Amino acid sequence: MVQAVSTELTIGQVTEAINAIIDVLGTPETNVQIDALSAFHKNDYQTVKRLASTNLSDNYCKSLGYLGGALKLTPNTDTILAESARAAAEVAKERTLKQLGAAIASALN
């Protein structure tokens, strides 16, 4: 039996997804990331987008930059959440690689 997928999103569902993404992002590591997270929590999504657009290699800012748009509940909300989640996963990957590299360096030196 195939389960039907509801296409109607609620603000509660989107907020839950956003909170999961922010949990994966974790603690910001740079001043730009701190500023972006602070602006996000203040609902200043334009500042977050500006920080994302001027720090193109920062996946933390990229992830947050998408999230303000998710709250509008448009047909693009699923895509926005997916792109934000992919950028958050890159942040987690980068942190893990950094930790593993340090551990390996410590073990081999």
Side-chain angles (χ1 to χ4, degrees), residues 26-64:
T27 304
E29 296 179 347
T30 68
N31 288 335
V32 170
Q33 293 172 357
I34 291 167
D35 292 346
L37 185 60
S38 175
F40 182 82
H41 285 306
K42 293 176 186 171
N43 301 325
D44 182 2
Y45 306 125
Q46 189 58 44
T47 295
V48 178
K49 288 180 186 181
R50 179 64 49 88
L51 290 169
S53 70
T54 56
N55 296 278
L56 295 173
S57 64
D58 191 322
N59 282 306
Y60 194 103
C61 290
K62 179 180 180 179
S63 180
L64 289 174

Side-chain angles (χ1 to χ4, degrees), residues 44-106:
D44 182 2
Y45 306 125
Q46 189 58 44
T47 295
V48 178
K49 288 180 186 181
R50 179 64 49 88
L51 290 169
S53 70
T54 56
N55 296 278
L56 295 173
S57 64
D58 191 322
N59 282 306
Y60 194 103
C61 290
K62 179 180 180 179
S63 180
L64 289 174
Y66 283 114
L67 288 182
L71 294 167
K72 295 178 185 173
L73 299 183
T74 69
N76 293 324
T77 299
D78 289 306
T79 302
I80 291 167
L81 289 171
E83 290 303 318
S84 179
R86 286 183 186 97
E90 285 297 319
V91 171
K93 176 183 171 182
E94 291 164 3
R95 283 188 179 147
T96 301
L97 290 172
K98 187 176 178 181
Q99 291 170 346
L100 285 170
I104 291 168
S106 176

Side-chain angles (χ1 to χ4, degrees), residues 9-20:
L9 293 174
T10 67
I11 195 69
Q13 291 171 311
V14 172
T15 300
E16 187 176 336
I18 287 171
N19 289 338

